[in-house]
């Protein structure tokens, strides 16, 4: 009893208890977090797989290594080790018990290494066990694509892992035989016992058989070969490399049998000859022969030899990137727009995006951050129906950024109990601009004030966002800062279900350990009703919940029908193992937008909706995590109205399409019709004379509301123009639809190849060559202002193309850009005026600019077409009430802005009343 309670044993017990408590707190708090979101089953499935896969692999490995070491004991226990070198001898005595201990530890180390390797493959195992067929077979082996994505990775991982275990076991067993004299090096002639020779031969034969299995699996890897003209198995791979692998497979099996025979007869020479033969054959058959075929058979007649393999690559790549249903149409590009045409395209003109997100983000930061600790992570584009019209808007969440707090205010209580959330959003129509060149706001200020009822925010608090990188503890006795009111602050108490309730000391202690915060356990302000919120950054949140998905880089915030704020995050199922499919720059060769996710900004509630139920990878994930995904039919209506075709997916697809629109093998081989994203000028105010301005930046895909050729009404599409490789003219444009039943449809409109259609860089050159415009740009730059050239928008209207580029001025040292000019190019004309409407009128005549709202899209004081007296009267009344409210809280800047807007509405009311 005294030996059991010795100080050393007590210390070891305490150390083990502390370690268990420390690591156990992470597992326990993770479970509580998953449970708080309603995903306990995801936690248990994940933790069981992460635990069982390495445990099973480790146990099997340990038993295998230990069993082989046990077999090695047949030659006797370890003996003192004598090593002889030449004529002299040096004797090293190692105690037998030490050798036994080392071998057991060695088995344990090998088992731990195997377990560690297996741990990384827990998802591979689950996908293998729940595989779903794709219904498409590869052209050579007849295997379903699902075999390559779900099965092959496990077989390759098993072969690799077992090979490492066998090699390690062979080394361990050989060392054991050295210790018990089963293998003895006496002078220059080694001696090996019959048992040791057979034992080592069997292990060596096993390694060779695994080498043969590697040759067998390598056959399927030929479908990822980069050797030929196109990705995937080429002529050489099928006619030379594949036969070589099959020959080497047979040779490996024969040499394995030879090694067993050599072990039985104790003929070490046979082993050497066999391995040498296999090595030479591997070089001659596996390397030299395919290289010979490639150089002397394929290269002299490459196009004819590679044609069928190029066609396989084209077909499988288009299928993997969902490009098989792209609709290609002709687009004449004739400059035939009339004034009447423009008046019929009101929806397009009143949604032209004059505000580039980069200068707009700076403007929001200066005009609507309100306090130093508020910040805007991003500016997103979305659409809402406002006053019965389909309008494109920019929207940004006003988040609380703890990094912007003064150092003196960065206390534990302030960062985690008081400053817990951001507040509200800012919304602007993409086309409307004030007379001072500032964005016009439909939602602004704190608390959020909406000038249109459709955008009313009822729950403005943002506890979960893109800048919320710290944990928060709510429902404490300490008051939470809500928002500023003049020189005072308004406080609140969290009333939602978000977070984990700290209902007892055990939970508090676990979170104190996890968060590295003793205050969490000791603070008197924390009560049993308090709740702790972790993983509040939505990027981290979704990746923690479902790390097996690939996420779009641009989640966006939405105002729900009930006024609540929530984020929409797109997620993808991807693979790099789709046979014959070319790898994208992001390292994947298969992608589907199978999942769309909503994250409530107030409660942190997360819902995963299965958007593409036909995707086999998504079906496999549903089998593994049946409680994680909800059917698309359960998606709320207000979320369904705001889903959009994802940016990253469209970028990847457009990149792949730029090559894989060529479906003729001859054209593909010659690369004679390659597309690329065109160049444009974009000058950042931080680098107004940077190389980017003169060498150009690639045009980025952008959202716009237009009416596609042949469509009945306007809709949100994502659009990207194409230019021929290394050319500046425009050859086509690609569009992805985002609305209703048309969601996901991809169109490519091709210009006639015999006709010149200006590309963005050519239009930029024409702008630079215009003497009036260039003189103004030079004058503004010399006057101490930075000129920011916004994104050049390529806008298809009817069968014509309109180009619009906004110009911003920003004073040096001041991040408040102002929209001062709008350049419009059409046909041979380039015009720059103070507004879009005036630029349109300068080209198309009076009345062309009356279709757009506000000073950005219409003549100042001119209301949008179809506006009624009742609508303007309602807007005027709402602006008056907002101005009164701003004055009551002492916000005179907002008061003045509301009065200015009210004056504009009254001017419009006067004009409308005179015509109705």
């Amino acid at each position: 009893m005294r030996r059991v309670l010795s100080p050393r044993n007590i210390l070891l017990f305490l150390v083990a208890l502390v370690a268990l408590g420390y690591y156990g707190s992470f597992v326990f708090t993770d479970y509580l977090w998953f449970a708080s979101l309603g995903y306990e089953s995801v936690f248990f499935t994940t933790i069981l797989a992460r635990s069982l896969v390495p445990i099973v692999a480790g146990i099997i490995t340990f038993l295998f290594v230990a069993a082989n070491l046990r077999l090695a004991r047949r030659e006797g226990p370890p003996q003192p080790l004598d090593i002889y070198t030449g004529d002299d001898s040096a004797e090293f005595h190692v105690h037998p018990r030490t050798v036994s201990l080392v071998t057991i530890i060695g088995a344990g180390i090998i088992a731990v290494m195997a377990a560690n390797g297996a741990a990384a493959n827990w998802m591979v195992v689950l996908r293998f066990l729940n595989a779903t067929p794709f219904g498409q077979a590869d052209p050579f082996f007849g295997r379903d694509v699902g075999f390559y994505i779900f099965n092959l990775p496990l077989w390759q991982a098993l072969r690799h892992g077992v090979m490492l275990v066998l090699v390690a076991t062979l080394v361990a067993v050989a060392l054991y035989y050295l210790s018990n004299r089963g293998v003895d090096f006496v002078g220059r002639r080694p001696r090996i016992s019959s048992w040791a020779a057979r034992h080592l031969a069997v292990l060596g034969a096993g390694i060779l058989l695994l080498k043969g299995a590697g040759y067998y699996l390598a056959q399927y890897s030929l479908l990822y070969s980069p050797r030929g003209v196109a990705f995937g198995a080429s002529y050489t791979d099928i006619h030379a490399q594949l036969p070589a692998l099959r020959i080497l497979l047979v040779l490996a099996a024969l040499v394995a049998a030879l090694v067993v025979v050599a072990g039985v007869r104790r003929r070490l020479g046979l082993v050497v000859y066999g391995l040498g033969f296999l090595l030479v054959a591997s070089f001659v058959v596996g390397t030299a022969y395919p290289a010979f075929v490639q150089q002397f058979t394929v290269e002299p007649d490459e196009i004819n030899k590679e044609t069928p393999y190029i066609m396989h690559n084209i077909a499988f790549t288009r299928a993997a990137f969902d490009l098989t249903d792209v609709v290609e149409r002709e687009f004449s590009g004739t400059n035939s727009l009339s004034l009447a045409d423009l008046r019929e395209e009101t929806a397009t003109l009143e949604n032209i995006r004059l505000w580039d997100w980069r200068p707009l983000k700076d403007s929001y930061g200066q005009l609507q951050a309100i306090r130093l600790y508020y910040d805007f992570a991003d500016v997103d584009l979305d659409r809402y129906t406002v006053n019965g019209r389909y309008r494109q808007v920019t929207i940004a969440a006003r988040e609380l950024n703890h990094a912007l707090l003064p150092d003196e205010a960065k206390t534990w209580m302030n960062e985690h109990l008081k400053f817990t959330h951001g507040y509200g959003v800012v919304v602007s129509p993409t086309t409307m601009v004030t007379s001072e060149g500032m964005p016009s706001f439909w939602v602004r200020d704190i608390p959020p004030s909406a000038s249109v009822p459709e955008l009313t925010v009822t729950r403005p608090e943002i506890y979960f966002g893109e800048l919320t990188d710290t944990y928060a503890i709510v429902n404490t006795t300490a008051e939470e800062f809500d928002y500023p009111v003049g020189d005072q602050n308004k406080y609140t108490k969290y009333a939602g279900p978000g977070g984990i309730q700290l209902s007892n000391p055990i939970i508090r202690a676990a979170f104190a350990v996890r968060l590295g915060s003793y205050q969490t356990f000791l603070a008197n302000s924390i009560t049993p009703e308090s709740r702790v919120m972790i993983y509040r950054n939505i990027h981290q949140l979704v990746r923690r919940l479902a790390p097996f998905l690939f996420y779009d880089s641009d989640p966006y915030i939405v105002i729900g029908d009930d006024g609540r704020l929530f984020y929409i995050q797109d997620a993808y199922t991807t693979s790099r193992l789709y046979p014959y499919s070319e790898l994208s720059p992001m390292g994947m060769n298969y992608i589907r937008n199978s999942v769309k996710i909503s994250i409530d900004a107030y409660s942190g509630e997360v819902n995963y909706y299965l958007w593409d139920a036909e995707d086999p990878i998504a079906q496999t994930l549903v089998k593994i995590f049946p409680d994680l995904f909800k059917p698309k039919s359960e998606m709320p209506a207000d979320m369904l109205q705001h889903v959009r075709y994802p940016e990253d997916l469209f970028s990847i697809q457009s990149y792949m399409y730029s090559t894989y629109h060529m479906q003729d093998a001859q054209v593909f081989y010659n690369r004679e019709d390659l597309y690329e994203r065109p160049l444009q000028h974009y000058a950042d105010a931080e680098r107004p004379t940077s190389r980017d301005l003169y060498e150009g930046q690639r045009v980025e895909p952008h959202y716009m509301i237009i009416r596609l050729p042949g469509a009945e009404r306007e809709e949100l599409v994502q659009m990207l123009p194409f230019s021929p490789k290394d050319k500046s003219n425009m050859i086509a444009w690609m569009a992805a639809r985002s609305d209703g039943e048309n969601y996901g449809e991809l169109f490519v409109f091709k210009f006639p190849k015999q006709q010149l259609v200006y590309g963005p860089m050519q239009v930029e050159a024409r702008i630079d060559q215009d003497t009036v415009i260039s003189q103004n740009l030079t004058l503004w730059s010399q006057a101490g202002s930075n000129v920011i050239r916004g994104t050049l928008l390529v806008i298809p209207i009817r069968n014509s193309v309109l180009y619009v580029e906004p110009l911003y001025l920003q004073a040096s040292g001041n991040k408040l850009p102002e929209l001062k000019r709008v350049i419009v190019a059409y046909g041979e004309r380039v015009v720059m005026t103070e507004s879009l409407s005036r630029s349109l009128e300068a080209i198309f005549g009076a009345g062309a600019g009356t279709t757009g709202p506000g000073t950005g899209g219409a003549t100042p004081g001119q209301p949008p077409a179809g506006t009624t007296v009742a609508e303007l009267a309602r807007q005027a009344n709402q602006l008056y009430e907002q101005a009164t409210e701003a004055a009551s809280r002492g916000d005179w800047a907002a008061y003045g802005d509301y009065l200015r807007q009210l004056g504009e509405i009254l001017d419009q009311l006067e004009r409308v009343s005179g015509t109705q």
Side-chain angles (χ1 to χ4, degrees):
M1 187 64 179
R2 288 181 178 179
R3 293 185 62 184
V4 173
L5 297 178
S6 66
R8 186 185 67 176
N9 290 344
I10 294 174
L11 179 61
L12 290 174
F13 174 76
L14 291 176
V15 170
L17 189 63
V18 169
L20 180 64
Y22 178 78
Y23 291 105
S25 66
F26 284 84
V27 177
F28 178 53
T29 52
D30 259 351
Y31 163 74
L32 293 175
W33 180 71
F34 275 89
S36 71
L37 295 172
Y39 295 120
E40 300 99 319
S41 63
V42 177
F43 171 81
F44 285 119
T45 299
T46 302
I47 201 72
L48 285 174
R50 286 180 180 273
S51 302
L52 288 179
V53 169
I55 288 174
V56 170
I59 290 175
I60 292 175
T61 300
F62 182 83
L63 292 176
F64 178 80
V65 176
N68 276 275
L69 292 175
R70 181 74 178 176
L71 290 174
R73 288 181 63 90
R74 183 165 177 172
E75 290 296 314
Q79 301 294 320
L81 189 60
D82 298 327
I83 297 180
Y84 298 90
T85 57
D87 297 329
D88 300 323
S89 63
E91 188 175 89
F92 296 89
H93 293 275
V94 181
H95 196 280
R97 185 176 297 175
T98 302
V99 176
S100 298
L101 181 62
V102 169
T103 55
I104 296 299
I105 293 176
I109 291 175
I110 296 171
V112 169
M113 292 172 59
N116 186 59
N121 292 301
W122 66 274
M123 195 63 194
V124 174
V125 174
L126 290 180
R127 286 159 63 109
F128 174 85
L129 295 175
N130 296 275
T132 303
F134 274 67
Q136 181 183 18
D138 77 84
F140 293 109
F141 304 108
R143 294 275 193 173
D144 186 87
V145 170
F147 166 80
Y148 295 91
I149 291 179
F150 301 121
N151 297 5
L152 186 59
L154 181 65
W155 294 124
Q156 291 174 329
L158 277 175
R159 191 205 71 84
H160 179 73
V162 174
M163 175 68 83
L164 292 178
V165 169
L166 274 178
V167 170
T169 303
L170 178 64
V171 173
V173 168
L175 290 175
Y176 200 99
Y177 278 125
L178 282 172
S179 70
N180 65 7
R181 306 298 172 83
V183 176
D184 198 1
F185 290 89
V186 180
R188 297 181 181 274
R189 304 188 63 180
R191 184 193 65 81
I192 183 170
S193 69
S194 176
W195 176 258
R198 295 177 181 180
H199 189 184
L200 293 172
V202 170
L203 291 174
I207 292 173
L208 287 167
L209 289 176
L210 278 176
K211 183 64 177 176
Y215 290 132
Y216 176 79
L217 295 177
Q219 298 178 105
Y220 301 112
S221 297
L222 291 178
L223 299 188
Y224 311 114
S225 171
R227 187 201 303 267
V229 176
F231 186 85
S234 64
Y235 178 94
T236 300
D237 291 316
I238 297 301
H239 292 86
Q241 196 70 58
L242 180 59
L245 289 172
R246 291 173 174 172
I247 291 171
L248 291 173
L249 189 159
V250 174
L251 291 178
L254 292 176
V255 173
L258 181 64
V259 168
V260 173
V261 172
V264 172
R265 297 186 176 183
R266 287 188 285 178
R267 299 280 300 275
L268 182 60
L270 291 177
V271 175
V272 175
Y273 294 144
L275 293 178
F277 175 74
L278 183 60
L279 184 63
V280 172
S282 178
F283 173 75
V284 174
V285 178
T287 302
Y289 174 63
F292 179 87
V293 171
Q294 178 68 26
Q295 184 170 355
F296 295 102
T297 302
V298 175
E299 291 183 6
D301 189 27
E302 193 169 44
I303 179 58
N304 292 321
K305 290 289 192 295
E306 297 288 5
T307 290
Y309 310 100
I310 292 174
M311 295 305 297
H312 293 319
N313 170 256
I314 293 173
F316 278 78
T317 299
R318 288 174 63 89
F321 289 96
D322 204 15
L323 298 175
T324 54
D325 295 327
V326 173
V327 178
E328 297 182 353
R329 293 181 180 175
E330 295 298 320
F331 191 85
S332 64
T334 57
N335 297 323
S336 57
L337 273 181
S338 65
L339 183 60
D341 292 333
L342 288 182
R343 287 177 173 172
E344 291 180 6
E345 297 296 337
T346 302
T348 296
L349 295 181
E350 71 179 5
N351 286 294
I352 292 177
R353 179 168 60 89
L354 296 182
W355 281 105
D356 191 287
W357 70 269
R358 288 160 283 200
L360 185 60
K361 184 173 181 289
D362 290 336
S363 295
Y364 280 179
Q366 292 292 321
L367 300 174
Q368 283 294 303
I370 310 296
R371 292 291 187 270
L372 60 88
Y373 37 77
Y374 287 126
D375 200 2
F376 297 96
D378 192 16
V379 177
D380 295 306
L381 285 165
D382 203 356
R383 72 284 197 198
Y384 292 82
T385 300
V386 177
N387 295 328
R389 286 186 169 151
Y390 200 49
R391 299 299 303 277
Q392 187 175 19
V393 303
T394 55
I395 182 170
R398 184 186 293 107
E399 298 191 58
L400 196 149
N401 189 344
H402 286 95
L404 300 179
L405 286 172
D407 291 338
E408 298 79 8
K410 291 181 180 179
T411 64
W412 180 83
M413 179 166 283
N414 277 345
E415 289 188 322
H416 303 293
L417 273 66
K418 280 192 174 292
F419 291 95
T420 56
H421 58 276
Y423 207 86
V425 293
V426 178
V427 182
S428 301
T430 56
T431 311
M432 293 179 68
V433 186
T434 69
S435 57
E436 294 84 12
M438 299 298 176
S440 179
F441 296 109
W442 277 350
V443 180
R444 59 176 298 162
D445 298 340
I446 299 177
S449 175
S451 59
V452 291
E454 295 89 344
L455 299 177
T456 301
V457 179
T458 60
R459 178 59 79 180
E461 300 91 340
I462 301 175
Y463 285 86
F464 296 82
E466 297 185 73
L467 297 176
T468 45
D469 296 323
T470 62
Y471 65 91
I473 302 177
V474 297
N475 279 0
T476 66
T477 58
E479 292 182 312
E480 285 183 62
F481 168 75
D482 202 21
Y483 60 87
V485 182
D487 294 333
Q488 304 297 318
N489 292 330
K490 183 174 176 59
Y491 295 92
T492 188
K493 189 170 185 178
Y494 183 74
I500 303 103
Q501 188 172 347
L502 300 173
S503 56
N504 59 63
I506 295 177
I507 295 177
R508 285 183 65 173
F511 274 103
V513 172
R514 181 197 183 94
L515 302 174
S517 165
Y518 65 88
Q519 297 95 329
T520 302
F521 185 72
L522 299 177
N524 293 328
S525 53
I526 298 176
T527 70
E529 286 73 37
S530 299
R531 312 180 76 87
V532 59
M533 297 176 174
I534 59 175
Y535 301 129
R536 295 199 298 140
N537 187 303
I538 61 173
H539 296 278
Q540 184 184 21
L541 187 155
V542 294
R543 287 164 176 79
R544 184 68 180 179
L545 259 177
F548 37 80
L549 294 172
F550 185 84
Y551 293 92
D552 193 89
S553 60
D554 186 32
Y556 55 100
I557 197 164
V558 173
I559 303 174
D561 290 344
D562 58 356
R564 296 176 67 89
L565 300 176
F566 64 91
Y567 287 89
I568 294 179
Q569 168 75 68
D570 285 285
Y572 310 109
T573 49
T574 63
S575 177
R576 55 180 296 116
L577 298 172
Y578 201 94
Y580 257 119
S581 176
E582 181 71 58
L583 287 171
S584 74
M586 300 184 72
M588 63 187 70
N589 67 358
Y590 174 89
I591 186 170
R592 290 292 186 274
N593 178 211
S594 298
V595 180
K596 291 187 180 289
I597 307 164
S598 67
I599 307 109
D600 191 287
Y602 184 72
S603 67
E605 178 186 355
V606 185
N607 290 296
Y608 286 72
Y609 295 99
L610 189 62
W611 186 254
D612 184 359
E614 301 300 319
D615 173 41
I617 298 181
Q619 293 175 11
T620 293
L621 293 176
V622 170
K623 295 176 187 176
I624 299 171
F625 305 102
D627 298 328
L628 177 61
F629 301 101
K630 297 179 179 179
K632 178 181 175 181
S633 58
E634 294 185 13
M635 182 181 289
D638 55 354
M639 179 179 176
L640 194 60
Q641 293 168 3
H642 290 279
V643 296
R644 66 187 194 188
Y645 203 79
E647 292 184 23
D648 289 349
L649 175 61
F650 186 69
S651 295
I652 293 171
Q653 287 180 310
S654 60
Y655 177 85
M656 301 306 296
Y657 183 83
S658 64
T659 299
Y660 285 90
H661 71 94
M662 298 180 288
Q663 299 186 59
D664 180 89
Q666 180 81 38
V667 175
F668 187 95
Y669 176 81
N670 293 325
R671 294 294 200 268
E672 61 188 66
D673 195 21
L674 282 174
Y675 293 173
E676 67 179 0
R677 287 193 300 166
L679 294 169
Q680 66 163 354
H681 287 335
Y682 180 83
D684 194 312
E686 299 293 330
R687 303 172 299 160
T689 59
S690 69
R691 291 167 58 89
D692 291 334
L693 175 60
Y694 300 102
E695 296 185 359
Q697 294 181 350
R698 295 292 176 187
V699 172
E700 297 179 354
H702 54 272
Y703 293 100
M704 61 171 59
I705 290 179
I706 61 173
R707 183 167 61 175
L708 291 173
E712 296 181 358
R713 55 164 296 168
E714 68 279 3
E715 59 187 301
L716 181 72
V717 302
Q718 195 171 179
M719 183 266 194
L720 179 69
F722 287 121
S723 291
K725 179 71 173 175
D726 297 327
K727 301 293 183 182
S728 297
N729 62 293
M730 191 160 59
I731 196 170
W733 57 280
M734 189 175 192
R737 308 176 84 171
S738 293
D739 290 351
E741 295 179 354
N742 297 324
Y743 178 95
E745 293 181 1
L746 296 176
F747 286 85
V748 172
F749 296 90
K750 296 184 175 182
F751 297 104
K753 291 188 177 181
Q754 69 276 10
Q755 177 181 330
L756 172 64
V757 178
Y758 290 123
M761 206 61 175
Q762 292 174 322
V763 175
E764 297 280 17
R766 293 176 59 207
I767 293 172
D768 292 337
Q769 293 164 6
D770 187 283
T771 55
V772 175
I773 296 177
S774 61
Q775 287 174 3
N776 277 280
L777 295 178
T778 302
L779 180 63
W780 288 326
S781 298
Q782 293 174 348
S785 296
N786 292 326
V787 178
I788 306 175
R789 296 175 66 160
T791 298
L792 178 68
L793 301 174
V794 180
I795 304 169
I797 301 180
R798 299 294 176 96
N799 284 316
S800 301
V801 178
L802 193 70
Y803 305 87
V804 177
E805 180 174 279
L807 287 182
Y808 312 91
L809 291 186
Q810 179 173 300
S812 299
N814 178 24
K815 281 196 171 185
L816 184 57
E818 300 175 4
L819 177 59
K820 287 303 183 184
R821 295 291 186 271
V822 178
I823 300 173
V824 174
Y826 176 74
E828 300 301 322
R829 299 199 60 188
V830 178
V831 174
M832 181 178 75
T833 70
E834 294 84 357
S835 68
L836 174 62
S837 61
R838 290 181 178 177
S839 295
L840 291 173
E841 288 180 347
I843 294 177
F844 297 99
T850 61
T851 56
T855 59
T859 303
Q862 180 69 42
T867 303
T868 65
V869 172
E871 289 177 0
L872 291 173
R874 180 183 58 77
Q875 293 179 33
N877 184 61
Q878 189 170 18
L879 285 169
Y880 174 77
E881 292 177 353
Q882 291 172 334
T884 303
E885 181 186 352
S888 65
R889 64 174 186 266
D891 190 348
W892 301 111
Y895 175 77
D897 190 55
Y898 286 133
L899 285 185
R900 179 191 55 74
Q901 294 183 54
L902 179 59
E904 293 177 0
I905 293 295
L906 292 176
D907 288 341
Q908 295 179 17
L909 184 61
E910 182 179 357
R911 290 174 179 266
V912 172
S913 60
T915 60
Q916 293 185 357

